[in-house]
Amino acid sequence: MDGSSPAAAAIIERVISFLGKKELTACKTLNKTWLTLTTIQSARNIDCHIIQLPLRIAYYRRKGLLTTVRSLTVDLSYIDGYLSILAYERRINNAAMLLSGLPATIRHLKLHMPNAHTVLSNSEIHFGSMALCQLLGALSRLTTLDLSDCPVSLLDSPASSQLGSITGLKGIRWFSLGRNDMSSAATLHRLVSTNCQTLTALCGKSDVVDRTLQVLCTAPNLQSLDASGSNIADDALLELVQARGSTLRELVLSDCTRLTRRSIAHLVPSALPKLASLDLYNVMVTTDTYQGLFNAQTHWPYLCDLKLKAAIPHMSPRHDSLVNDDILEAIGQNCPRLVSLRLFGCHGITDNGLSSILGNLGYLRELVVMHSASEPTPVAGGDTASVASHSILSPQLPSTAEDNSSSDGFWADTPSLPRNAVLRQEQPHQTHRSLVSPPSTAPSSPRIPDDDAPRTENGQRIFTSHALHRGVRSRRFNLLNLDMEYDSVCAEHLAKLSHLHILCGRMITRHAKSLIENQFPKCKMMVWSID
């Protein structure tokens, strides 16, 4: 597509809005039309330090690109010794004055401080809070405000009053660094109350309180809510689901310790018909509650992302507070569009439950099933090598391995791998043939009794090749992390995939490792030991 026609140019302009910096640089070399459109797209976001912002605005004005700017990403960190105190304050005031004189085209503002994880000095708090107030006062028509990478200590009295006067916001990502208190929760409540008629997404995390949910009940366009780590109660969540459940598409309730079965049991498809993402990590519910959400009568037509972990995993024979095989079979049958499934601390899952997931979900791209909620003791006697902890972001519908690192959706991070895992470095790409996956309608073999399930030396259940007896219906996996011993049978099933980016597990045989390496030369294998 050369972009010679107006329709082609409109399509190209729409496509390049989803590309990153690396892809935009490559697109500039195609032809003149692509060069023009990618240059405009690159100029839509100004990303610089607060003291460099006046110079960057002057450069954009000289190039005639000021009208193309749509978003602003500003680093508020304090550079000690670079300028005097008066010069530093003058730079911040000049930046705010230039922004206030620009056309009202900037809609998205993201503020961040790279060193905010450490204790801030008085100068850092002073200049960061000053820059926050000035920028918020200069940009009056914002639709998205992202403060997730800023410390909450910047929220002093001037900044608090400035935040309360902003109107027209559609998306809010609140402070997540530092110890949030009732002051920051009150400021968020005031900000939500001011923008409830336009708000579509709120990532408030631990600062979301019951009265904030009561305000959100009057938000007609609310689609996404992240209240992870908050102290919201059952009554407030029930009221929100009854009022806004028909529009909610994303609901994150991880680490909400006050929530019980009384409210979680009402998160059913009839109350949330458009839900696409559900996160119940570390929520104190039982097996009966999970069975009420996922059974033969509950059909989730749009659910793409699901994350479950019991808050108190019991080791009793009842497997109370656990996900079992019956729940996994219901998920495999009634969640046809599931792309990412992450289960932790689920001691009740056997090979039969895992096979129902692998054999039925054709769109699955990320699968994490861990019997233990924490890192288990590595198996002794295996070859090990050091590997750094990593974080995988789940894309919406990933098509390449690079999509994993550039996703900005609502997908949560997977836990880091053990330090003594085995990491195989990437090798040059080689073409491999694509084979057809076995059909999902193959007859299932008899269930393995829980008492006969294979276990490690410390008594923890592990998966075997029996979990793949139905085949793997999905053709592409960006992440496959299972408590499994990968043998030659497992490798033969996995070799039929068309794409495998990261494979994690407890143990892998050398023959299975060789088979996977030959089929997927760029696959990263991270296992506890090699037999």
Side-chain angles (χ1 to χ4, degrees):
M1 184 180 295
D2 58 359
S4 57
S5 65
I11 295 175
I12 294 174
E13 187 175 6
R14 176 63 176 170
V15 169
I16 62 178
S17 63
F18 297 96
L19 302 181
K21 293 183 179 179
K22 183 178 179 180
E23 292 80 7
L24 288 176
T25 304
C27 291
K28 290 181 179 180
T29 62
L30 295 178
N31 54 43
K32 186 176 181 180
T33 304
W34 280 88
L35 174 61
T36 303
L37 294 176
T38 51
T39 302
I40 294 175
Q41 177 62 31
S42 301
R44 291 185 183 276
N45 178 45
I46 297 179
D47 187 353
C48 64
H49 195 275
I50 182 63
I51 63 176
Q52 297 175 337
L53 188 56
L55 300 178
R56 189 63 60 88
I57 294 176
Y59 172 80
Y60 269 64
R61 178 182 287 111
R62 187 169 63 253
K63 294 294 184 179
L65 298 173
L66 280 178
T67 57
T68 65
V69 178
R70 296 293 182 271
S71 61
L72 185 62
T73 303
V74 182
D75 183 359
L76 301 182
S77 59
Y78 175 65
I79 304 177
D80 191 11
Y82 182 75
L83 294 173
S84 64
I85 295 178
L86 294 178
Y88 216 101
E89 293 179 350
R90 191 181 305 114
R91 285 287 184 94
I92 296 176
N93 293 328
N94 290 341
M97 183 174 59
L98 290 174
L99 287 176
S100 60
L102 294 180
T105 58
I106 299 179
R107 296 288 185 265
H108 312 283
L109 176 62
K110 179 179 181 180
L111 305 177
H112 64 97
M113 295 185 70
N115 299 325
H117 296 276
T118 59
V119 179
L120 300 182
S121 63
N122 293 332
S123 298
E124 290 174 323
I125 296 176
H126 169 71
F127 289 112
S129 178
M130 177 183 177
L132 176 61
C133 294
Q134 295 285 352
L135 292 177
L136 292 179
L139 302 172
S140 58
R141 294 194 176 183
L142 290 176
T143 59
T144 304
L145 179 61
D146 189 347
L147 302 174
S148 58
D149 293 332
C150 288
V152 73
S153 56
L154 297 184
L155 195 61
D156 58 359
S157 299
S160 176
S161 60
Q162 192 67 50
L163 282 170
S165 61
I166 300 177
T167 59
L169 288 178
K170 295 182 179 180
I172 300 174
R173 295 180 64 87
W174 199 240
F175 298 94
S176 60
L177 301 177
R179 184 174 181 178
N180 297 20
D181 52 17
M182 293 305 297
S183 176
S184 58
T187 306
L188 177 61
H189 171 72
R190 188 162 57 252
L191 184 62
V192 171
S193 302
T194 309
N195 300 272
C196 65
Q197 296 302 316
T198 59
L199 195 63
T200 60
L202 173 62
C203 179
K205 297 192 174 181
S206 58
D207 275 338
V208 177
V209 294
D210 291 349
R211 59 174 183 166
T212 305
L213 293 186
Q214 294 174 359
V215 174
L216 291 176
C217 292
T218 62
N221 302 315
L222 185 65
Q223 297 181 7
S224 174
L225 173 63
D226 185 350
S228 56
S230 63
N231 290 323
I232 58 176
D234 290 329
D235 295 334
L237 180 60
L238 285 174
E239 184 179 355
L240 177 68
V241 171
Q242 294 173 0
R244 300 268 70 89
S246 59
T247 62
L248 276 177
R249 297 180 182 271
E250 177 187 3
L251 187 58
V252 181
L253 301 174
S254 59
D255 296 311
C256 293
T257 55
R258 291 185 61 190
L259 296 181
T260 63
R261 176 183 179 181
R262 190 164 67 89
S263 60
I264 300 300
H266 289 79
L267 304 180
V268 293
S270 58
L272 301 166
K274 298 181 180 180
L275 193 66
S277 177
L278 179 62
D279 188 345
L280 297 179
Y281 187 87
N282 258 1
V283 178
M284 198 171 301
V285 294
T286 61
T287 302
D288 297 337
T289 306
Y290 284 141
Q291 288 177 340
L293 301 181
F294 304 100
N295 54 59
Q297 287 73 36
T298 57
H299 182 71
W300 298 87
Y302 301 106
L303 191 62
C304 298
D305 180 35
L306 179 61
K307 184 177 181 181
L308 302 176
K309 175 187 173 292
I312 306 178
H314 297 283
M315 299 299 295
S316 63
R318 293 176 58 243
H319 296 304
D320 194 20
S321 192
L322 302 175
V323 178
N324 54 31
D325 290 350
D326 296 333
I327 297 174
L328 257 65
E329 290 181 1
I331 293 175
Q333 295 292 336
N334 299 323
C335 302
R337 297 190 180 183
L338 204 61
V339 176
S340 176
L341 176 62
R342 285 154 291 174
L343 307 173
F344 302 94
C346 302
H347 304 273
I349 300 177
T350 64
D351 288 341
N352 297 281
L354 182 59
S355 65
S356 64
I357 293 294
L358 293 173
N360 288 293
L361 298 178
Y363 293 100
L364 201 60
R365 297 294 181 267
E366 293 190 358
L367 179 61
V368 179
V369 181
M370 306 296 293
H371 287 121
S372 175
S374 58
E375 296 180 355
T377 304
V379 180
D383 299 331
T384 59
S386 177
V387 61
S389 61
H390 72 290
S391 174
I392 306 298
L393 290 180
S394 304
Q396 296 179 0
L397 276 177
S399 57
T400 61
E402 287 78 10
D403 291 341
N404 264 353
S405 59
S406 61
S407 173
D408 193 22
F410 40 71
W411 312 93
D413 295 345
T414 58
S416 58
L417 290 172
R419 295 181 178 178
N420 57 343
V422 176
L423 170 61
R424 191 180 67 81
Q425 300 293 336
E426 290 191 7
Q427 300 177 359
H429 175 70
Q430 301 177 7
T431 305
H432 61 274
R433 56 193 178 95
S434 176
L435 300 178
V436 179
S437 300
S440 61
T441 57
S444 58
S445 56
R447 283 184 176 274
I448 299 179
D450 289 348
D451 296 338
D452 298 335
R455 298 177 181 271
T456 60
E457 295 178 357
N458 57 2
Q460 188 178 14
R461 180 183 285 112
I462 56 176
F463 297 117
T464 64
S465 58
H466 179 79
L468 302 175
H469 72 276
R470 298 187 187 181
V472 182
R473 189 172 183 182
S474 177
R475 300 290 302 278
R476 305 175 61 87
F477 273 99
N478 284 338
L479 173 63
L480 190 60
N481 186 1
L482 307 173
D483 266 345
M484 176 176 283
E485 292 185 352
Y486 297 101
D487 54 13
S488 300
V489 178
C490 296
E492 291 175 359
H493 283 284
L494 296 179
K496 297 177 182 180
L497 302 176
S498 61
H499 174 77
L500 181 60
H501 186 210
I502 298 178
L503 178 66
C504 308
R506 183 171 296 276
M507 188 271 291
I508 188 171
T509 62
R510 298 188 182 276
H511 183 246
K513 181 175 180 290
S514 177
L515 290 176
I516 296 176
E517 286 178 348
N518 293 334
Q519 185 69 8
F520 307 103
K522 300 184 69 175
C523 176
K524 297 179 181 178
M525 284 184 285
M526 304 179 184
V527 295
W528 288 90
S529 62
I530 301 177
D531 189 3

